[in-house]
Amino acid sequence: MKRFTLPRDIYYGKGSMDVLKTLKGRKATIVVGGGSMKRFGFLDKAMNYLKEANIEISLIENVEPDPSVETVMRGAAAMRDFQPDWIVAIGGGSPIDAAKAMWVFYEYPETSFETLITPFSFPELRTKAKFVAISSTSGTATEVTAFSVITDYAKGIKYPLADFNITPDIAIVDPDLADTMPEKLVAHTGMDALTHAIEAYVSTLNSPFTDPLALKAIKMVFDNLLLSYKGNMEAREQMHYAQCLAGMAFSNALLGIVHSLAHKTGAAFSTGHIPHGCANAMYLPYVIRFNAKEAEAMKRYAEIARSIGMKADDDAELVEMLCKKIELYNSAMSIPESLKLFGVKEDEFKEKVNNIATLAVGDACTGSNPRKVTPELMAKLLDCIYYGKKINF
Ligand code: FE
């Protein structure tokens, strides 16, 4: 048996946040991040709408980027005191991811991250509350996905949580919130969304339900990302929808080794954090050329190329055209083409590459990659990504 799960309702369009006025319930806990939603007035707006619905409100503020186990536990305890029947998470990926995990520990205080880490094994949620997600960035699509990532800083590990129980009940995709994104965030989150759609399309778990969402998202990203980057707000709106479509695809079809590599290199080097979307953008053309050595994957990448209007005599040529287009977008948005150019030191890279390769093979996203990969192959791939070398294996 296969399954395809999305939120029950997706409200979208400028001003769609006002649907909060129509929620039926007694109490809502709002979860927000560091302050941009407050500064730009969206938090007040949400609170006013909920008050109009006669809903009593509690607030969990200051969820940090890459939210911690402690933040989740603190939030869950506050929810147990307040007993909300709605959880409303507003902001980028971090507050929404944190709120999803708080939700689990609110309803099941006795569970543990060690238990939850087994994919699709969660206890039944919605015994106490339902969940609204309102996203402010156009990339992670956590407002429609079954995923959340929580960091245990003491143990130095990330818990990738995956279960359709944490797919929100309501997603609000209001482009007004994405207007506030700075240029660099537009570039990185946009390329993250493109990576989601491409990886979902070639994933071993691709399906007739996810394919149209992925292809449409890819087309919309190519049509709108550079305009959005330059400040065109109509294009920004389309990107907000495109990333959501990509999210619906990858929540059900899962991802591949671009994400495995981004996860394991993000915090690996002393020269600084590599933002998730930036890492994906850099690695994507290398991984496409690597995966395309597998016949079925080559066929799927060629289908993507054709779907955005590319024409060529054979599939290999189409795949190359697709890679070139991605590289063009990267360079137009000042995303470097190798880890070396990003600033990672050669000595440190050489010292860590084998370990990173092994960790990346073990990442949750590797299982659905269309080409089987060993630590040795992953290390060779990383070597090409570091030096900007051609993939010939
Ligand atoms: Fe991503």
Side-chain angles (χ1 to χ4, degrees):
M1 184 181 65
K2 292 171 182 174
R3 181 175 176 181
F4 178 81
T5 298
L6 296 177
R8 164 75 172 72
D9 288 299
I10 297 172
Y11 295 95
Y12 64 94
K14 284 186 164 299
S16 52
M17 222 168 89
D18 71 356
V19 71
L20 291 175
K21 286 194 276 199
T22 67
L23 288 193
K24 304 266 181 294
R26 294 177 308 107
K27 289 178 169 188
T29 295
I30 300 181
V31 183
V32 281
S36 73
M37 287 299 101
K38 201 174 191 169
R39 253 193 336 274
F40 292 115
F42 293 110
L43 179 59
D44 277 347
K45 229 176 180 173
M47 289 173 73
N48 288 335
Y49 288 144
L50 290 168
K51 280 179 197 152
E52 267 190 65
N54 283 319
I55 291 177
E56 197 188 327
I57 300 162
S58 80
L59 204 55
I60 296 173
E61 287 184 274
N62 299 317
V63 172
E64 70 278 22
D66 299 318
S68 66
V69 168
E70 290 75 23
T71 297
V72 170
M73 293 310 182
R74 218 178 309 123
M79 286 179 189
R80 283 198 294 279
D81 284 342
F82 185 68
Q83 293 287 317
D85 40 23
W86 284 101
I87 296 164
V88 180
I90 311 177
S94 299
I96 299 178
D97 276 12
K100 285 174 172 176
M102 289 172 194
W103 186 18
V104 183
F105 285 95
Y106 165 41
E107 300 207 4
Y108 295 91
E110 71 291 350
T111 191
S112 68
F113 279 101
E114 284 70 25
T115 319
L116 297 176
I117 203 163
T118 310
F120 301 96
S121 69
F122 282 27
E124 208 56 49
L125 287 182
R126 298 168 174 79
T127 61
K128 291 187 174 166
K130 291 204 277 187
F131 195 100
V132 183
I134 311 172
S135 54
S136 64
T137 57
S138 299
T140 66
T142 182
E143 73 275 12
V144 290
T145 70
F147 311 123
S148 160
V149 182
I150 303 300
T151 305
D152 188 328
Y153 289 94
K155 293 186 186 152
I157 46 176
K158 283 186 185 254
Y159 297 111
L161 309 180
D163 195 287
F164 288 125
N165 269 292
I166 55 169
T167 300
D169 296 280
I170 297 177
I172 301 178
V173 189
D174 184 338
D176 283 347
L177 280 73
D179 284 358
T180 61
M181 281 196 295
E183 190 182 67
K184 216 175 189 162
L185 196 60
V186 171
H188 294 169
T189 55
M191 292 307 287
D192 187 26
L194 180 68
T195 308
H196 293 156
I198 293 180
E199 293 213 284
Y201 191 78
V202 301
S203 158
T204 54
L205 294 172
N206 72 68
S207 77
F209 296 87
T210 54
D211 284 353
L213 292 163
L215 289 181
K216 180 69 179 173
I218 292 164
K219 169 101 173 70
M220 287 172 78
V221 172
F222 280 130
D223 286 348
N224 293 287
L225 180 54
L226 293 184
L227 289 168
S228 169
Y229 178 72
K230 288 182 192 127
N232 177 322
M233 289 303 158
E234 274 100 69
R236 183 79 49 92
E237 177 174 0
Q238 293 305 309
M239 278 305 301
H240 209 40
Y241 304 152
Q243 64 86 32
C244 184
L245 295 182
M248 292 192 247
F250 90 83
S251 186
N252 291 281
L254 308 188
L255 296 164
I257 60 170
V258 181
H259 270 78
S260 307
L261 288 165
H263 292 155
K264 302 308 187 221
T265 51
F269 302 108
S270 62
T271 38
H273 181 72
I274 309 170
H276 175 72
C278 180
N280 282 332
M282 285 192 284
Y283 309 161
L284 182 60
Y286 295 94
V287 169
I288 292 178
R289 290 184 179 107
F290 171 79
N291 280 344
K293 306 279 180 207
E294 188 77 50
E296 179 58 26
M298 155 114 68
K299 204 183 97 205
R300 302 281 295 175
Y301 288 122
E303 282 168 16
I304 292 174
R306 268 185 224 102
S307 78
I308 52 168
M310 290 173 169
K311 288 189 180 68
D313 293 335
D314 65 72
D315 284 359
E317 214 177 311
L318 284 165
V319 174
E320 199 43 42
M321 286 164 80
L322 178 64
C323 291
K324 289 262 160 59
K325 192 170 173 99
I326 294 163
E327 287 163 350
L328 206 75
Y329 275 59
N330 283 346
S331 82
M333 296 186 294
S334 305
I335 293 171
E337 54 192 61
S338 68
L339 275 177
K340 190 172 188 184
L341 290 172
F342 182 83
V344 173
K345 290 198 201 92
E346 191 169 9
D347 290 355
E348 195 181 3
F349 173 78
K350 283 185 173 164
E351 186 193 311
K352 293 182 171 168
V353 60
N354 288 327
N355 188 36
I356 294 171
T358 306
L359 290 172
V361 171
D363 187 87
C365 293
T366 302
S368 46
N369 192 67
R371 181 174 170 188
K372 287 280 151 282
V373 56
T374 59
E376 293 69 36
L377 275 174
M378 199 68 112
K380 272 175 88 177
L381 178 58
L382 269 164
D383 198 63
C384 291
I385 290 172
Y386 183 81
Y387 293 101
K389 287 192 297 202
K390 232 179 115 39
I391 304 276
N392 55 7
F393 51 90

